[in-house]
Amino acid sequence: MSSANPGETGREKALRSYKLYIAGKDVEGDGWVYTVSARSLLEDVFTSVSLKRALEQDPESEAKHHPYVVGRCAIAGDNGIDLASEAAAAAAPEWAAVPLERRMRLGTLFREELIRRQDEFLEMLVAEAHPVKLARWELSCLLQVYSEESLRWYRERMHTEFEHNGRRLIVRRQPDGVVAFNPPQNAPAPSAALAVLALMAGNSVVVRAPRSIALSTMYVIRDVVAPLLEEVGAPPGVLNAVCGNPKQTLDRWVESPLIQDIFYIGGSQEGLRFQEQCVANGKKPILELAGNDGIIVWEGANIKHAAEAITESFYGSGQICMVPNYVLVHPNVAEELIAEVKEQVKTVRPGYPEDEDVLLSPVRRSEKFFTLLNQALENGAELITGGQRTELDGTPSETGVFLQPTVVRVDGLAGARKYDVVRHETFFPLLPIVVPEAAPNDELLANFIDFVNSNEYGLRNSLWARSARVINAFVQRVTNGGLLKINDSHIGFLPYLPSHGGTGLTGGVYGEANYPMLKTSHIQGVSIAHDISPREAVFGS
């Protein structure tokens, strides 16, 4: 049953309205937060902000009929947050006892439902400022995560059996219990959709929809996933969703004895502090933090294709954790690569999110972008292209809400990490290309691999090379990151391979490639013997 209101007089579309979703029911909250369309923020930011304020003061205001207003979500207070945890804990034992095959069916149903409702899903993301081209990419992630190939692979790791000396041996994964999900503001709905994997593992789930951008998360959980759980016979309370203040919600989750795992997506410093709180309170922290991904381009590489992958850095204005954040290029092809990147950057442009050719998103707070850029230039970096604010039509402007895709050149490998734009994730359309000093190839190769492995972050890394020796060296020796891609899109998704997860400041002390179905479960071994003498089993015959 959808929680969206029926159509209202004089409106083509109903205002989407979501209460808290707890124990299979829609529950009243403590007020509402409203979503206005991303287009409205570009056309008339004053009206958009005024509409939200008017509605939060008076939900029955005529402002709710304004075409800019697309939906609202109820806000959870302490009581709502705790009720959701209690409902999940109550449902967890019954759901964990459901056979794995029935739970696995949920993944197939979810993929089929996403395909059936893809236009609606994309519309929700576009309303929250995701360029439609990138919204399709986000959908492609979920279609690979829940592909038949991936589901088959998860199934094999959840339960495997062997026969050995008259015994049936089982290596299986058991659910952790109640898993709480904290999606990020930049991609809340696709991140919340990973909760289906925790459900397939046999866990109950509580999802916090980000208060500032809650609508798409509530849509995915309430309208897409919840009916599928009913279809597979899950008990009420297996899935719960609340829109709440982040600190308030996370504090209550950490303190609650009912929560076993917390899936946290956010910044590195905050996430590492949160990790300590979780461990101190007996929780398993599953961290998806900042990335600082590198693309390495070796001599002989396909420069045109490498430059295409490099320009992925600017998609969504760099406000995506898994886009490239720095480039390390062989000095023999540096000039050619920089020229090609400079040319291809021209295709990355701003505009309304529903426009097919748009890849840039608005950047509301851009002061840090200019701080990072100016620091790099003062330290000796060279500006290759960009560096200004721009209007909707691409015209440079002091008041523009977009930032031009910006490339700087950094010469020298040894001192490259003195530049913050190289050392840390920037989350802006700001990309350094590092050009090392000329050296023999063996020395360069060792230095390149060392540079990648010494990155404090570790989400994804890419290599562009034709040399089998160079490729093999990277495959064998690169330990940083949850994913290594070679001669491929940096941000593209594939079956079997992880979509998330990493090492260092990206994943915390337990960081690795993140398969949420495996991360929210634990390994258990079982032996079932027939007519076995315990004494002989220990001492032999």
Side-chain angles (χ1 to χ4, degrees), residues 71-401:
R72 67 179 186 174
C73 297
I75 303 167
D78 287 349
N79 187 55
I81 295 167
D82 292 345
L83 281 175
S85 300
E86 291 164 11
E94 183 180 345
W95 178 239
V98 168
L100 176 62
E101 296 303 331
R102 201 164 108 209
R103 302 197 311 258
M104 290 298 304
R105 185 166 167 253
L106 187 62
T108 300
L109 292 172
F110 183 54
R111 184 188 70 252
E112 292 171 350
E113 190 69 0
L114 282 175
I115 293 170
R116 187 179 74 81
R117 304 176 73 150
Q118 61 182 304
D119 290 344
E120 194 174 55
F121 181 79
L122 296 175
E123 181 184 318
M124 296 294 297
L125 297 189
V126 169
E128 293 182 344
H130 298 230
V132 65
K133 212 166 197 173
L134 290 181
R136 289 197 189 93
W137 164 74
E138 292 173 273
L139 176 60
S140 78
C141 169
L142 297 178
L143 296 182
Q144 293 292 11
V145 167
Y146 294 99
S147 68
E148 283 303 320
E149 299 96 325
S150 295
L151 293 177
R152 188 164 55 248
W153 189 86
Y154 306 150
R155 169 67 181 79
E156 290 170 357
R157 273 133 197 86
M158 291 298 294
H159 189 107
T160 306
E161 297 197 10
F162 309 91
E163 290 294 328
H164 176 74
N165 290 345
R167 297 173 178 86
R168 177 184 167 206
L169 304 182
I170 304 170
V171 179
R172 65 184 182 187
R173 302 192 71 92
Q174 295 283 57
D176 287 344
V178 177
V179 181
F181 274 77
N182 181 63
Q185 294 184 58
N186 65 317
S191 300
L194 299 177
V196 174
L197 293 164
L199 291 165
M200 290 161 57
N203 300 289
S204 288
V205 165
V206 182
V207 176
R208 182 191 78 87
R211 181 166 171 163
S212 60
I213 187 165
L215 195 67
S216 65
T217 300
M218 293 303 294
Y219 160 77
V220 167
I221 297 300
R222 178 66 188 87
D223 287 356
V224 181
V225 182
L228 301 180
L229 282 165
E230 291 182 19
E231 188 173 335
V232 298
V238 163
L239 177 65
N240 308 272
V242 296
C243 169
N245 174 279
K247 185 177 187 309
Q248 176 188 20
T249 307
L250 290 168
D251 284 350
R252 298 197 80 76
W253 284 350
V254 168
E255 294 168 4
S256 172
L258 304 176
I259 305 285
Q260 278 70 52
D261 299 354
I262 303 180
F263 199 114
Y264 178 95
I265 305 178
S268 289
Q269 298 309 316
E270 301 89 343
L272 294 178
R273 287 194 294 269
F274 183 70
Q275 174 181 256
E276 293 178 6
Q277 290 179 285
C278 285
V279 173
N281 284 272
K283 315 290 180 197
K284 180 197 287 186
I286 303 168
L287 304 182
E288 285 289 338
L289 309 178
N292 189 30
D293 293 12
I295 287 188
I296 290 77
V297 182
W298 196 255
E299 65 176 348
N302 185 321
I303 295 299
K304 182 177 183 296
H305 286 170
E308 286 179 15
I310 288 166
T311 58
E312 293 172 359
S313 170
F314 306 115
Y315 293 179
S317 294
Q319 298 172 109
I320 303 170
C321 64
M322 59 186 66
V323 297
N325 272 260
Y326 73 88
V327 176
L328 182 56
V329 58
H330 194 291
N332 290 353
V333 294
E335 300 298 337
E336 182 185 0
L337 179 72
I338 289 170
E340 183 65 30
V341 170
K342 186 176 180 180
E343 190 61 30
Q344 291 201 26
V345 158
K346 296 174 184 176
T347 66
V348 183
R349 67 175 189 84
Y352 292 112
E354 61 267 33
D355 293 350
E356 283 291 340
D357 294 330
V358 167
L359 285 168
L360 290 177
S361 302
V363 180
R364 294 295 166 190
R365 301 182 68 177
S366 56
E367 299 84 0
K368 190 176 179 183
F369 168 86
F370 290 102
T371 299
L372 290 165
L373 175 59
N374 290 335
Q375 183 211 51
L377 298 178
E378 288 166 5
N379 284 338
E382 175 191 350
L383 180 64
I384 301 299
T385 188
Q388 295 179 279
R389 292 186 180 91
T390 180
E391 296 291 347
L392 193 68
D393 63 358
T395 304
S397 163
E398 288 297 318
T399 58
V401 295

Side-chain angles (χ1 to χ4, degrees), residues 343-494:
E343 190 61 30
Q344 291 201 26
V345 158
K346 296 174 184 176
T347 66
V348 183
R349 67 175 189 84
Y352 292 112
E354 61 267 33
D355 293 350
E356 283 291 340
D357 294 330
V358 167
L359 285 168
L360 290 177
S361 302
V363 180
R364 294 295 166 190
R365 301 182 68 177
S366 56
E367 299 84 0
K368 190 176 179 183
F369 168 86
F370 290 102
T371 299
L372 290 165
L373 175 59
N374 290 335
Q375 183 211 51
L377 298 178
E378 288 166 5
N379 284 338
E382 175 191 350
L383 180 64
I384 301 299
T385 188
Q388 295 179 279
R389 292 186 180 91
T390 180
E391 296 291 347
L392 193 68
D393 63 358
T395 304
S397 163
E398 288 297 318
T399 58
V401 295
F402 293 89
L403 294 170
Q404 292 177 332
T406 300
V407 180
V408 297
R409 173 176 175 151
V410 173
D411 284 303
L413 189 61
R417 288 204 174 109
K418 74 180 181 184
Y419 297 84
D420 284 345
V421 293
V422 177
R423 183 174 180 180
H424 297 294
E425 178 188 60
T426 64
F427 227 60
F428 294 112
L430 175 56
L431 181 73
I433 297 181
V434 179
V435 184
E437 303 85 348
N441 272 351
D442 286 348
E443 182 181 334
L444 274 176
L445 181 58
N447 290 343
F448 276 29
I449 291 172
D450 180 66
F451 193 83
V452 171
N453 281 336
S454 60
N455 185 2
E456 295 171 275
Y457 302 81
L459 187 56
R460 297 184 173 201
N461 293 295
S462 285
L463 169 68
W464 285 86
R466 284 197 174 100
S467 165
R469 183 178 71 87
V470 172
I471 291 171
N472 289 337
F474 268 76
V475 170
Q476 293 297 321
R477 293 161 56 189
V478 168
T479 56
N480 174 277
L483 186 63
L484 173 62
K485 300 191 79 177
I486 297 172
N487 297 328
D488 203 348
S489 160
H490 188 85
I491 67 171
F493 299 102
L494 295 164

